[in-house]
Amino acid sequence: MTSDGSRIISASDDDTVIVRDVDGTIITTFTDHADRVNAVAVVDDESVVSSAGNGTVFMWDMQTGEIQQSFEGHTMPVFGLAVHPQTNTLVTGGG
């Protein structure tokens, strides 16, 4: 959930990330992962990070659904993400 409580972000087995208003209305769906999405983390009220079973990690713009950044290095599934709330430092965990 975003810090202002206005959006809920979910990871899905169908390779998508979905951003919804708190009433459940879908704002946008991110579809660029090529494997199940294992984790999501809110960076700020405009960006979200997601990780997938194929090792991909993307940062997305929550309004447009565009990838802002792709992170390289994992060769196995990434199951965990954390973003430091003050520095926005991203930590990933997986193979």
Side-chain angles (χ1 to χ4, degrees):
M1 180 176 273
T2 57
S3 65
D4 64 2
S6 67
R7 296 184 196 125
I8 300 167
I9 299 89
S10 62
S12 302
D13 285 343
D14 67 357
D15 308 347
T16 65
V17 175
I18 301 172
V19 179
R20 292 182 169 88
D21 282 334
V22 291
D23 65 4
T25 303
I26 293 175
I27 297 171
T28 190
T29 302
F30 310 148
T31 60
D32 288 345
H33 278 294
D35 203 345
R36 77 184 277 170
V37 179
N38 295 320
V40 294
V42 174
V43 177
D44 54 36
D45 289 339
E46 297 177 9
S47 302
V48 64
V49 179
S50 61
S51 65
N54 61 356
T56 56
V57 178
F58 297 136
M59 182 183 301
W60 309 83
D61 180 295
M62 269 196 263
Q63 289 298 328
T64 66
E66 294 179 17
I67 295 173
Q68 297 174 319
Q69 189 169 353
S70 176
F71 299 90
E72 308 272 327
H74 286 281
T75 58
M76 301 288 289
V78 179
F79 294 108
L81 298 170
V83 178
H84 189 280
Q86 281 81 38
T87 65
N88 288 343
T89 301
L90 171 65
V91 178
T92 62

